[in-house]
Amino acid sequence: VCLVFCMAGAVQSLNLGRIFSRRARRATQLQDLILSRRTINDFESKLPSNWETSLQSAIEAATYAPNHKRTEPWRFHLLGTKSIQRVCELNAKLVAQAKGEAAGEKKLKRWLAMPGWLVVTCRSEVESQAGMDIPMSLEREDYAACCCAVQNLCLSLHAQGLGTKWTTGPVNFDPDFAQAAGLPSDEYVVGTIWFGTP
């Protein structure tokens, strides 16, 4: 398909077939990316040398998530070694209370082996107290936006060769988690994202 049009007195030819072909290739690449992303349970022990650039790019992609109320409620907290240790110990304590000391020790060892830790939170609006039970509430809109942001983040990391696991286990919602992870009091946890080389 070729379209000829006039622009500033000159005849211009535009090959629509080439444009549509590029769009079709991009759409196929996106479809393949979405369909090939999977939750990763085992990572290499070390992060790749370019992980910070990859994470920065993925967080940028995350912030382009749909956000109906334009509140941009998402927050991203990269955990350092001390915070990771505290979170892992808190989780091991919870597991030990539920399943015994051996299970807690096993979980501690496994969690400490995770190479990258990013906690995604949602900023709470103090003046809005409608709650998640109200279909059109700000809280529900913001939580949905944060979930979309997490999907964008995971897809972006996948496109760059990094795997992810979005965890939402009980430790994320334990009253001591925020202090262990160093989170502000006006945010609540959407999930912890483990990331690294699959």
Side-chain angles (χ1 to χ4, degrees):
V1 176
C2 188
L3 178 67
V4 177
F5 64 98
C6 291
M7 188 172 95
V11 175
Q12 299 289 324
S13 177
L14 180 62
N15 188 334
L16 293 179
R18 190 177 307 154
I19 291 172
F20 291 140
S21 177
R22 273 193 306 246
R23 286 185 181 164
R25 275 195 309 274
R26 279 193 228 122
T28 300
Q29 290 168 343
L30 177 60
Q31 181 77 359
D32 290 345
L33 186 68
I34 291 169
L35 296 180
S36 64
R37 190 214 63 79
R38 291 288 178 268
T39 294
I40 303 299
N41 288 302
D42 296 304
F43 301 93
E44 291 184 9
S45 59
K46 301 277 186 195
L47 290 170
S49 59
N50 65 335
W51 73 269
E52 289 166 312
T53 302
S54 296
L55 183 60
Q56 201 168 27
S57 176
I59 289 172
E60 180 183 15
T63 65
Y64 279 79
N67 183 209
H68 178 65
K69 302 289 187 186
R70 297 184 182 175
T71 58
E72 299 184 353
W74 41 71
R75 299 293 182 267
F76 306 93
H77 303 272
L78 180 64
L79 300 190
T81 53
K82 290 180 181 177
S83 295
I84 292 169
Q85 182 74 36
R86 288 191 300 265
V87 168
C88 290
E89 288 172 357
L90 174 61
N91 185 62
K93 182 179 97 172
L94 296 174
V95 171
Q97 288 171 351
K99 300 179 180 179
E101 290 297 323
E105 284 299 319
K106 183 177 178 183
K107 191 65 78 169
L108 178 63
K109 183 178 178 183
R110 172 156 168 68
W111 278 38
L112 285 171
M114 294 298 142
W117 288 70
L118 186 73
V119 177
V120 181
T121 62
C122 184
R123 188 172 47 88
S124 298
E125 290 292 329
V126 177
E127 64 273 6
S128 177
Q129 298 297 323
M132 293 286 279
D133 294 336
I134 308 299
M136 300 295 289
S137 70
L138 181 62
E139 286 86 350
R140 185 172 247 190
E141 293 279 353
D142 283 353
Y143 180 74
C146 287
C147 291
C148 291
V150 169
Q151 175 71 349
N152 281 5
L153 178 109
C154 292
L155 286 171
S156 178
L157 287 172
H158 174 54
Q160 298 175 77
L162 293 173
T164 56
K165 180 170 183 172
W166 179 0
T167 67
T168 56
V171 71
N172 285 277
F173 311 106
D174 187 87
D176 295 328
F177 182 83
Q179 184 176 0
L183 305 177
S185 60
D186 64 340
E187 299 174 18
Y188 65 88
V189 176
V190 175
T192 298
I193 312 300
W194 290 333
F195 63 92
T197 305

